[in-house]
Amino acid sequence: MNRRTGPRLLLALVVSLSLTACGGDAGEAAPPTGEPAAGQSSTQACETRPATAEPPPSVTTDETLAPVVPASDAPPPCDLVVSDVLVGVGAEAVDGSTVAVKYVGAFYETGEEFDSSWSRGTEETLPVTLGAGQVIPGFEQGITGMREGGRRIVTIPSDLAYGDQGRGPIPGGATLVFVLDLVQVG
């Protein structure tokens, strides 16, 4: 292990742990009484939508630029929804693949970013082995089927994210949106 590999492995481990499906303490991210927390709506019920959708035109196809997640005033989807912004032409991410992804994570209603590999540098990626349960289920399901070089928006309902408990900056019941760039399939 060289000087650059050690810190990168540590950073990947920290990010992986922050995206794990395990819940934290019940009080870890509790909203103030009577008010929804960031990314959580007390008035919007989910709606059934197709599993794939057209991406918003505001999300850039330029993979050298960090994407911005738009806010939405539509009811959140009840199930996982994927939107291919840019379809890759490389290897396909399948169960058992180890992939490297860049990502931006934001709250569905506000578009407010809560985490991003881009904030740690334009070359920073997150390694994920599909099917190993290293990240929340919706994140992993959103990567599956992508091709190397692709950019995809994945809208993840709470039950495929952190559920009613939440974790860290993610409040319970939050619908999340990730823009994923599939950099490498191994």
Side-chain angles (χ1 to χ4, degrees), residues 106-133:
F107 297 112
Y108 176 79
E109 287 91 355
T110 65
E112 177 189 349
E113 186 178 301
F114 60 81
D115 191 18
S116 170
S117 64
W118 291 87
S119 66
R120 292 181 286 282
T122 59
E123 299 303 314
E124 191 63 39
T125 61
L126 173 67
V128 178
T129 301
L130 298 179

Side-chain angles (χ1 to χ4, degrees), residues 7-167:
R8 282 183 167 199
L9 286 174
L10 180 59
L11 178 60
L13 177 62
V14 168
V15 171
S16 293
L17 290 174
S18 73
L19 291 172
T20 56
C22 302
D25 290 351
E28 193 170 24
T33 305
E35 297 177 23
Q40 183 180 22
S41 173
S42 62
T43 59
Q44 288 187 334
C46 68
E47 72 179 15
T48 301
R49 295 193 198 155
T52 59
E54 288 297 314
S58 61
V59 178
T60 182
T61 58
D62 185 345
E63 291 182 298
T64 64
L65 299 175
V68 175
V69 177
S72 179
D73 57 3
C78 297
D79 298 308
L80 186 83
V81 175
V82 298
S83 304
D84 285 317
V85 176
L86 182 64
V87 177
V89 295
E92 183 178 355
V94 297
D95 210 30
S97 300
T98 298
V99 300
V101 294
K102 291 182 183 181
Y103 67 92
V104 172
F107 297 112
Y108 176 79
E109 287 91 355
T110 65
E112 177 189 349
E113 186 178 301
F114 60 81
D115 191 18
S116 170
S117 64
W118 291 87
S119 66
R120 292 181 286 282
T122 59
E123 299 303 314
E124 191 63 39
T125 61
L126 173 67
V128 178
T129 301
L130 298 179
Q134 298 170 325
V135 293
I136 58 175
F139 191 91
E140 188 172 299
Q141 291 171 23
I143 296 169
T144 303
M146 284 184 77
R147 292 199 170 272
E148 199 172 276
R151 175 171 278 184
R152 177 177 280 181
I153 300 171
V154 182
T155 305
I156 305 172
S158 175
D159 64 326
L160 293 175
Y162 297 99
D164 291 335
Q165 268 192 322
R167 182 168 178 147

